Amino acid sequence: MSDPSGVKSLRSDARRNVDRIRRAAAQVFREQGFSAPLEEVAAVADVSKATIFNRLGGRIGLIDAVIDEVVAVELRTVIEEMWSIDEIRERIGSYIYALRDLQYRVPAVNDVLLQEYRDSEPLLALCHAGTEFHDSLVAQGHAAGVLVPDFTAEDFQSLARDNALVLKHGGRPPRADYDRRTAFQLGGICRSSSVPD
C-alpha cells in the first residue's frame, strides 16, 4: 500500500524543482540568451540536466516557461509605449533606441529577432508581433514622408537582425560606442527634417 503522504511529498519536491529550474532559467537566459548551456541552468537550480528534461522537456520547454519574464513583457511594453508617441519621426527614433537598448541589455531579444528556436510557439509569436509593428512603423513613416523613399520594412527587419547577429556572435562593444552607432543608424534612414515634403 502506498503512503499518501509520501506521494504528496514527492509532488511537493517536484514542484520545488520546477520552481527552482524556472527561476534559474530566467536568470541565466536573461544574462546570456536562450542558447545558454543547460548545464549552467541546472547548476544554478541545483538539479541535474536530466531533471530539466524530465520536468520541462529541455530547452524549448524552458524557453516557453520563462519567455514572458525574460523578454516578452519588456518587448511588448516597448511596443505599447511607442503607440503613445504621436509624432512619427519621434516614434521611429524612440523605437530604434529602445529596441537596440533591449538587444544590448537582454541577449534573449536577439534570439527572438533571429528566430533561433522555431519550435517555441511563444518565441515565434513574439517575433511576429514585432514584425507587424515594424511593418506598421515603416508604412506610417513613409506616409508621413519621414523615411527615405527606398527604405523598406524588410530593411528595418534586416537592421535589427544584423545587430542581433553582431551582438550574439561578434561580441558586445562598449556601451558608448554602441549608442553612437545607434545614432548613426537612425540618421541614415530618416530624412533630414529640413527636406520639404
Side-chain angles (χ1 to χ4, degrees):
M1 185 175 352
S2 65
D3 176 4
S5 65
V7 171
K8 186 175 182 181
S9 174
L10 179 62
R11 288 182 182 156
S12 293
D13 287 348
R15 270 196 308 274
R16 279 194 299 276
N17 278 347
V18 169
D19 289 343
R20 282 202 321 266
I21 292 166
R22 286 176 58 114
R23 282 193 305 274
Q27 174 190 329
V28 172
F29 287 164
R30 187 155 179 89
E31 292 169 359
Q32 300 178 33
F34 291 129
S35 59
L38 292 186
E39 291 83 1
E40 193 161 334
V41 174
V44 172
D46 196 25
V47 299
S48 69
K49 187 176 169 184
T51 301
I52 292 174
F53 280 87
N54 290 337
R55 298 294 178 217
L56 289 160
R59 185 176 305 279
I60 298 303
L62 279 178
I63 291 170
D64 292 353
V66 300
I67 192 167
D68 281 346
E69 60 196 290
V70 172
V71 68
V73 169
E74 207 163 352
L75 264 175
R76 287 189 181 111
T77 299
V78 164
I79 290 171
E80 288 168 14
E81 287 174 354
M82 294 306 115
W83 288 120
S84 68
I85 300 173
D86 291 330
E87 204 277 310
I88 188 61
R89 180 184 299 273
E90 183 182 349
R91 186 183 306 154
I92 290 169
S94 295
Y95 180 68
I96 287 173
Y97 277 105
L99 180 61
R100 285 179 57 94
D101 175 64
L102 278 178
Q103 286 182 269
Y104 192 87
R105 289 186 301 105
V106 184
V109 170
N110 299 313
D111 293 320
V112 172
L113 292 170
L114 295 170
Q115 297 182 17
E116 290 281 350
Y117 299 99
R118 292 175 177 261
D119 291 337
S120 170
E121 290 181 23
L123 186 145
L124 285 183
L126 188 59
C127 186
H128 292 313
T131 298
E132 287 175 11
F133 180 71
H134 294 170
D135 292 350
S136 174
L137 206 58
V138 170
Q140 292 170 15
H142 281 303
V146 168
L147 296 175
V148 293
D150 59 344
F151 185 74
T152 67
E154 181 54 37
D155 292 330
F156 199 107
Q157 291 295 113
S158 290
L159 288 172
R161 281 192 307 266
D162 290 350
N163 191 46
L165 284 168
V166 168
L167 289 171
K168 186 171 177 74
H169 300 292
R172 290 163 30 120
R175 185 64 197 239
D177 289 343
Y178 184 80
D179 289 342
R180 186 172 49 84
R181 291 173 189 142
T182 298
F184 289 151
Q185 183 184 57
L186 183 59
I189 68 168
C190 286
R191 288 179 159 184
S192 166
S193 55
S194 63
V195 173
D197 291 334

